[in-house]
């Protein structure tokens, strides 16, 4: 499924952009592993991406995780001074990964059919950013919230390497 995800247009685009930015992905950059806890995947700085194969059943879910984590890899590649222990840096990358990967599309589409909730996508991204950043041992809940609010506008509107949010 990881191999298949590498052939989807969005993953191919991100891979190309990483190469252009000088961060070509090695052969085993994306690995399938068994994960404890309710996580679908992760980015390990400098090491690569893991996809939690024991929690994945659908190709779409694998694609989603790969796209999300590749955006983290892209952020680390382009910003030489990115520090994951910095809650604002981490929050910024989560905002971008949540927004640009379309993590919140499915629910947004679903909800749209039943009730028109404005701003649902942003609410969904916020919730997911908080979940990720509070899992960072350097970021308390209050620190994560402050960091997210402080960088929200800049990072939500920063759609690189896309021209606009896909
Ligand atoms: Zn993330």
């Amino acid at each position: 499924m990881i191999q298949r995800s590498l052939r989807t247009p969005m993953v191919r685009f991100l891979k190309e952009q990483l190469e252009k930015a000088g961060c070509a992905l090695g052969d085993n950059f994306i690995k399938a592993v068994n994960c404890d806890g309710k996580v679908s995947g992760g980015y390990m700085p400098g090491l690569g991406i893991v996809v939690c194969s024991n929690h994945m059943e659908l190709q779409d879910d694998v694609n989603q995780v790969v796209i999300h984590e590749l955006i983290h890899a892209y952020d680390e590649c382009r910003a030489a001074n990115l520090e994951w222990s910095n809650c604002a840096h981490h929050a910024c990358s989560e905002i971008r990964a949540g927004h640009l990967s379309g993590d919140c599309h499915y629910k947004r589409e679903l909800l749209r059919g039943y009730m028109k909730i404005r701003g649902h996508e942003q609410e969904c991204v916020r919730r997911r950013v908080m979940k990720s950043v509070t899992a960072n041992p350097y970021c308390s809940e209050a620190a994560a919230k402050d960091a997210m609010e402080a960088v929200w506008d800049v990072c939500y509107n920063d759609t690189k390497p896309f021209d606009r949010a896909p």
Side-chain angles (χ1 to χ4, degrees), residues 68-69 72 94 97 132:
H68 179 112
E69 305 306 338
H72 288 318
E94 292 298 348
S132 294

Side-chain angles (χ1 to χ4, degrees), residues 36-43 72 84-87 90-91 94 126-145:
D36 298 328
K38 273 183 135 186
V39 284
S40 46
Y43 174 65
H72 288 318
W84 296 104
S85 57
N86 178 317
C87 307
H90 185 186
E94 292 298 348
R126 277 175 200 278
R127 193 177 61 241
R128 296 172 72 100
V129 169
M130 282 300 289
K131 195 174 162 234
S132 294
V133 180
T134 51
N136 181 332
Y138 293 95
C139 308
S140 66
E141 195 162 340
K145 184 122 210 317

